[in-house]
Amino acid sequence: RVSVWGRGVDHGQFNPGWRSTAWRREWGYAPDEVIPLFFGRLVREKGIGLFADVIRTVRDRGHRLRPMIVGEGPARDWFAEQLPDALFLGHLTGERLGTAIASADVLINPSVTEAFGNVNLEAMASGVAVIAAQVESAAALIEHGVSGLLVEAGDADSYADALERLVLCRSARVT
């Protein structure tokens, strides 16, 4: 018994229609503030240290942004120490998850251990720009410069350059 099992995204849960300026305002985000998103299990092997480095680098370049973290895991406290002003929402499901993801501006996915990378697809389906490591799993889903940006795995400066590009050019964030 063999059949094809296609990967997919629930477009009822992940779509740009869930984006909410009211939700952003409720969590203290200014209208012009860019929200970089980390979405996944909070463990070091997912690249959370690199994510924090990228945020600090882009802030040092003079850009205003406040990250949103969706997920839980054993490295949560360590991650919160690295980004004390980030919004940590924990594990979300359903409408709450769809609204949070669609209300972000840029998913930064530094993980190089993904077998597939659902978070990339879910962010793209939500209308959120994606920056991911140039690894096979991400490259299978993202066409660089078209449906997202692929950068050198582990290179904080490459991620920071990509994020800065998206901060400076709002139209480039539209997927």
mmCIF file of all heavy atoms in Angstrom, residues 46-74:
data_model
loop_
_atom_site.group_PDB
_atom_site.id
_atom_site.type_symbol
_atom_site.label_atom_id
_atom_site.label_comp_id
_atom_site.label_asym_id
_atom_site.label_seq_id
_atom_site.Cartn_x
_atom_site.Cartn_y
_atom_site.Cartn_z
ATOM 1 N N LYS A 46 18.077 25.087 16.314
ATOM 2 C CA LYS A 46 17.227 25.780 15.337
ATOM 3 C C LYS A 46 17.803 27.138 14.950
ATOM 4 O O LYS A 46 17.214 27.862 14.156
ATOM 5 C CB LYS A 46 15.809 25.958 15.881
ATOM 6 C CG LYS A 46 15.058 24.667 16.083
ATOM 7 C CD LYS A 46 14.606 24.076 14.775
ATOM 8 C CE LYS A 46 13.693 22.887 15.031
ATOM 9 N NZ LYS A 46 13.185 22.322 13.797
ATOM 10 N N GLY A 47 18.929 27.516 15.543
ATOM 11 C CA GLY A 47 19.587 28.757 15.157
ATOM 12 C C GLY A 47 19.132 29.986 15.917
ATOM 13 O O GLY A 47 19.290 31.110 15.439
ATOM 14 N N ILE A 48 18.607 29.805 17.127
ATOM 15 C CA ILE A 48 18.098 30.967 17.862
ATOM 16 C C ILE A 48 19.211 31.943 18.237
ATOM 17 O O ILE A 48 18.967 33.149 18.314
ATOM 18 C CB ILE A 48 17.252 30.557 19.089
ATOM 19 C CG1 ILE A 48 18.063 29.744 20.090
ATOM 20 C CG2 ILE A 48 16.006 29.804 18.639
ATOM 21 C CD1 ILE A 48 17.321 29.399 21.382
ATOM 22 N N GLY A 49 20.422 31.453 18.443
ATOM 23 C CA GLY A 49 21.545 32.353 18.727
ATOM 24 C C GLY A 49 21.847 33.236 17.527
ATOM 25 O O GLY A 49 22.092 34.434 17.671
ATOM 26 N N LEU A 50 21.815 32.651 16.352
ATOM 27 C CA LEU A 50 22.032 33.416 15.123
ATOM 28 C C LEU A 50 20.912 34.439 14.928
ATOM 29 O O LEU A 50 21.171 35.589 14.571
ATOM 30 C CB LEU A 50 22.114 32.472 13.921
ATOM 31 C CG LEU A 50 22.332 33.132 12.565
ATOM 32 C CD1 LEU A 50 23.668 33.863 12.522
ATOM 33 C CD2 LEU A 50 22.267 32.075 11.464
ATOM 34 N N PHE A 51 19.676 34.037 15.194
ATOM 35 C CA PHE A 51 18.545 34.964 15.100
ATOM 36 C C PHE A 51 18.795 36.184 15.985
ATOM 37 O O PHE A 51 18.645 37.327 15.544
ATOM 38 C CB PHE A 51 17.249 34.255 15.514
ATOM 39 C CG PHE A 51 16.017 35.108 15.434
ATOM 40 C CD1 PHE A 51 15.211 35.088 14.303
ATOM 41 C CD2 PHE A 51 15.634 35.925 16.489
ATOM 42 C CE1 PHE A 51 14.066 35.868 14.224
ATOM 43 C CE2 PHE A 51 14.492 36.712 16.430
ATOM 44 C CZ PHE A 51 13.702 36.681 15.284
ATOM 45 N N ALA A 52 19.193 35.955 17.230
ATOM 46 C CA ALA A 52 19.453 37.063 18.161
ATOM 47 C C ALA A 52 20.591 37.947 17.648
ATOM 48 O O ALA A 52 20.507 39.180 17.721
ATOM 49 C CB ALA A 52 19.769 36.524 19.553
ATOM 50 N N ASP A 53 21.648 37.344 17.108
ATOM 51 C CA ASP A 53 22.762 38.116 16.549
ATOM 52 C C ASP A 53 22.297 39.010 15.404
ATOM 53 O O ASP A 53 22.713 40.169 15.295
ATOM 54 C CB ASP A 53 23.873 37.192 16.037
ATOM 55 C CG ASP A 53 24.629 36.482 17.149
ATOM 56 O OD1 ASP A 53 24.516 36.904 18.324
ATOM 57 O OD2 ASP A 53 25.316 35.487 16.836
ATOM 58 N N VAL A 54 21.448 38.483 14.553
ATOM 59 C CA VAL A 54 20.936 39.242 13.404
ATOM 60 C C VAL A 54 20.120 40.439 13.877
ATOM 61 O O VAL A 54 20.285 41.557 13.366
ATOM 62 C CB VAL A 54 20.109 38.328 12.469
ATOM 63 C CG1 VAL A 54 19.370 39.137 11.416
ATOM 64 C CG2 VAL A 54 21.004 37.278 11.825
ATOM 65 N N ILE A 55 19.275 40.231 14.862
ATOM 66 C CA ILE A 55 18.461 41.333 15.392
ATOM 67 C C ILE A 55 19.373 42.422 15.950
ATOM 68 O O ILE A 55 19.198 43.612 15.652
ATOM 69 C CB ILE A 55 17.479 40.826 16.476
ATOM 70 C CG1 ILE A 55 16.493 39.798 15.892
ATOM 71 C CG2 ILE A 55 16.742 42.001 17.126
ATOM 72 C CD1 ILE A 55 15.704 40.265 14.679
ATOM 73 N N ARG A 56 20.361 42.038 16.748
ATOM 74 C CA ARG A 56 21.288 43.029 17.316
ATOM 75 C C ARG A 56 22.047 43.771 16.212
ATOM 76 O O ARG A 56 22.214 44.996 16.281
ATOM 77 C CB ARG A 56 22.263 42.355 18.282
ATOM 78 C CG ARG A 56 21.631 41.999 19.624
ATOM 79 C CD ARG A 56 22.662 41.556 20.643
ATOM 80 N NE ARG A 56 23.280 40.291 20.296
ATOM 81 C CZ ARG A 56 22.831 39.100 20.702
ATOM 82 N NH1 ARG A 56 21.747 39.027 21.454
ATOM 83 N NH2 ARG A 56 23.464 37.995 20.358
ATOM 84 N N THR A 57 22.492 43.070 15.192
ATOM 85 C CA THR A 57 23.242 43.697 14.098
ATOM 86 C C THR A 57 22.400 44.720 13.362
ATOM 87 O O THR A 57 22.853 45.849 13.102
ATOM 88 C CB THR A 57 23.755 42.623 13.111
ATOM 89 O OG1 THR A 57 24.642 41.746 13.808
ATOM 90 C CG2 THR A 57 24.472 43.250 11.934
ATOM 91 N N VAL A 58 21.168 44.370 13.046
ATOM 92 C CA VAL A 58 20.304 45.300 12.301
ATOM 93 C C VAL A 58 19.914 46.487 13.180
ATOM 94 O O VAL A 58 19.843 47.617 12.697
ATOM 95 C CB VAL A 58 19.084 44.561 11.710
ATOM 96 C CG1 VAL A 58 18.111 45.527 11.047
ATOM 97 C CG2 VAL A 58 19.556 43.507 10.694
ATOM 98 N N ARG A 59 19.730 46.269 14.451
ATOM 99 C CA ARG A 59 19.481 47.395 15.365
ATOM 100 C C ARG A 59 20.704 48.305 15.432
ATOM 101 O O ARG A 59 20.566 49.529 15.439
ATOM 102 C CB ARG A 59 19.143 46.888 16.761
ATOM 103 C CG ARG A 59 17.746 46.344 16.877
ATOM 104 C CD ARG A 59 17.512 45.823 18.263
ATOM 105 N NE ARG A 59 16.122 45.473 18.463
ATOM 106 C CZ ARG A 59 15.685 44.725 19.453
ATOM 107 N NH1 ARG A 59 16.537 44.263 20.364
ATOM 108 N NH2 ARG A 59 14.412 44.439 19.572
ATOM 109 N N ASP A 60 21.899 47.718 15.483
ATOM 110 C CA ASP A 60 23.128 48.518 15.516
ATOM 111 C C ASP A 60 23.274 49.363 14.254
ATOM 112 O O ASP A 60 23.945 50.394 14.274
ATOM 113 C CB ASP A 60 24.361 47.624 15.678
ATOM 114 C CG ASP A 60 24.480 47.034 17.080
ATOM 115 O OD1 ASP A 60 23.751 47.488 17.994
ATOM 116 O OD2 ASP A 60 25.295 46.099 17.253
ATOM 117 N N ARG A 61 22.649 48.953 13.188
ATOM 118 C CA ARG A 61 22.660 49.720 11.933
ATOM 119 C C ARG A 61 21.620 50.836 11.947
ATOM 120 O O ARG A 61 21.463 51.550 10.970
ATOM 121 C CB ARG A 61 22.418 48.797 10.743
ATOM 122 C CG ARG A 61 23.539 47.792 10.515
ATOM 123 C CD ARG A 61 23.219 46.884 9.355
ATOM 124 N NE ARG A 61 24.234 45.855 9.166
ATOM 125 C CZ ARG A 61 24.171 44.917 8.216
ATOM 126 N NH1 ARG A 61 23.138 44.898 7.369
ATOM 127 N NH2 ARG A 61 25.132 44.020 8.115
ATOM 128 N N GLY A 62 20.885 50.951 13.049
ATOM 129 C CA GLY A 62 19.953 52.063 13.218
ATOM 130 C C GLY A 62 18.507 51.782 12.895
ATOM 131 O O GLY A 62 17.700 52.710 12.803
ATOM 132 N N HIS A 63 18.141 50.508 12.768
ATOM 133 C CA HIS A 63 16.758 50.185 12.407
ATOM 134 C C HIS A 63 15.944 49.772 13.630
ATOM 135 O O HIS A 63 16.423 49.062 14.507
ATOM 136 C CB HIS A 63 16.732 49.080 11.351
ATOM 137 C CG HIS A 63 17.443 49.467 10.104
ATOM 138 N ND1 HIS A 63 16.947 50.395 9.227
ATOM 139 C CD2 HIS A 63 18.647 49.078 9.607
ATOM 140 C CE1 HIS A 63 17.801 50.553 8.232
ATOM 141 N NE2 HIS A 63 18.841 49.771 8.443
ATOM 142 N N ARG A 64 14.706 50.226 13.640
ATOM 143 C CA ARG A 64 13.790 49.937 14.737
ATOM 144 C C ARG A 64 13.002 48.667 14.406
ATOM 145 O O ARG A 64 12.324 48.606 13.383
ATOM 146 C CB ARG A 64 12.845 51.121 14.884
ATOM 147 C CG ARG A 64 11.885 50.972 16.011
ATOM 148 C CD ARG A 64 11.059 52.238 16.148
ATOM 149 N NE ARG A 64 10.032 52.009 17.136
ATOM 150 C CZ ARG A 64 8.902 52.655 17.176
ATOM 151 N NH1 ARG A 64 8.659 53.593 16.285
ATOM 152 N NH2 ARG A 64 8.025 52.394 18.097
ATOM 153 N N LEU A 65 13.137 47.696 15.258
ATOM 154 C CA LEU A 65 12.352 46.473 15.107
ATOM 155 C C LEU A 65 12.262 45.773 16.441
ATOM 156 O O LEU A 65 13.104 45.972 17.315
ATOM 157 C CB LEU A 65 12.951 45.550 14.034
ATOM 158 C CG LEU A 65 14.462 45.387 13.944
ATOM 159 C CD1 LEU A 65 14.965 44.311 14.860
ATOM 160 C CD2 LEU A 65 14.818 45.073 12.508
ATOM 161 N N ARG A 66 11.190 45.008 16.607
ATOM 162 C CA ARG A 66 11.007 44.225 17.834
ATOM 163 C C ARG A 66 10.536 42.834 17.435
ATOM 164 O O ARG A 66 9.470 42.677 16.838
ATOM 165 C CB ARG A 66 9.990 44.867 18.770
ATOM 166 C CG ARG A 66 9.885 44.105 20.097
ATOM 167 C CD ARG A 66 9.145 44.873 21.176
ATOM 168 N NE ARG A 66 7.784 45.164 20.816
ATOM 169 C CZ ARG A 66 6.721 44.654 21.444
ATOM 170 N NH1 ARG A 66 6.859 43.835 22.455
ATOM 171 N NH2 ARG A 66 5.516 44.990 21.049
ATOM 172 N N PRO A 67 11.336 41.816 17.739
ATOM 173 C CA PRO A 67 11.003 40.459 17.303
ATOM 174 C C PRO A 67 9.784 39.875 18.010
ATOM 175 O O PRO A 67 9.450 40.240 19.134
ATOM 176 C CB PRO A 67 12.246 39.644 17.662
ATOM 177 C CG PRO A 67 13.262 40.602 18.121
ATOM 178 C CD PRO A 67 12.611 41.894 18.424
ATOM 179 N N MET A 68 9.161 38.944 17.300
ATOM 180 C CA MET A 68 8.078 38.135 17.841
ATOM 181 C C MET A 68 8.535 36.677 17.783
ATOM 182 O O MET A 68 9.027 36.236 16.743
ATOM 183 C CB MET A 68 6.798 38.298 17.027
ATOM 184 C CG MET A 68 5.681 37.400 17.493
ATOM 185 S SD MET A 68 4.172 37.285 16.476
ATOM 186 C CE MET A 68 4.370 38.390 15.152
ATOM 187 N N ILE A 69 8.382 35.971 18.873
ATOM 188 C CA ILE A 69 8.805 34.591 18.966
ATOM 189 C C ILE A 69 7.572 33.723 19.204
ATOM 190 O O ILE A 69 6.859 33.909 20.194
ATOM 191 C CB ILE A 69 9.812 34.382 20.121
ATOM 192 C CG1 ILE A 69 10.909 35.460 20.130
ATOM 193 C CG2 ILE A 69 10.376 32.965 20.087
ATOM 194 C CD1 ILE A 69 11.744 35.572 18.894
ATOM 195 N N VAL A 70 7.327 32.791 18.293
ATOM 196 C CA VAL A 70 6.208 31.865 18.424
ATOM 197 C C VAL A 70 6.785 30.460 18.565
ATOM 198 O O VAL A 70 7.462 29.965 17.660
ATOM 199 C CB VAL A 70 5.262 31.941 17.206
ATOM 200 C CG1 VAL A 70 4.169 30.885 17.315
ATOM 201 C CG2 VAL A 70 4.660 33.333 17.074
ATOM 202 N N GLY A 71 6.547 29.855 19.710
ATOM 203 C CA GLY A 71 7.046 28.514 19.972
ATOM 204 C C GLY A 71 7.503 28.383 21.405
ATOM 205 O O GLY A 71 7.599 29.370 22.136
ATOM 206 N N GLU A 72 7.780 27.168 21.794
ATOM 207 C CA GLU A 72 8.263 26.859 23.134
ATOM 208 C C GLU A 72 9.412 25.883 23.024
ATOM 209 O O GLU A 72 9.587 25.238 21.994
ATOM 210 C CB GLU A 72 7.165 26.232 23.993
ATOM 211 C CG GLU A 72 6.270 27.208 24.701
ATOM 212 C CD GLU A 72 6.979 28.129 25.676
ATOM 213 O OE1 GLU A 72 8.088 27.813 26.157
ATOM 214 O OE2 GLU A 72 6.424 29.186 25.953
ATOM 215 N N GLY A 73 10.167 25.773 24.078
ATOM 216 C CA GLY A 73 11.254 24.811 24.106
ATOM 217 C C GLY A 73 12.189 25.088 25.260
ATOM 218 O O GLY A 73 12.083 26.107 25.945
ATOM 219 N N PRO A 74 13.131 24.179 25.480
ATOM 220 C CA PRO A 74 14.000 24.272 26.642
ATOM 221 C C PRO A 74 14.946 25.472 26.626
ATOM 222 O O PRO A 74 15.465 25.840 27.685
ATOM 223 C CB PRO A 74 14.792 22.958 26.602
ATOM 224 C CG PRO A 74 14.653 22.445 25.219
ATOM 225 C CD PRO A 74 13.365 22.967 24.695
#
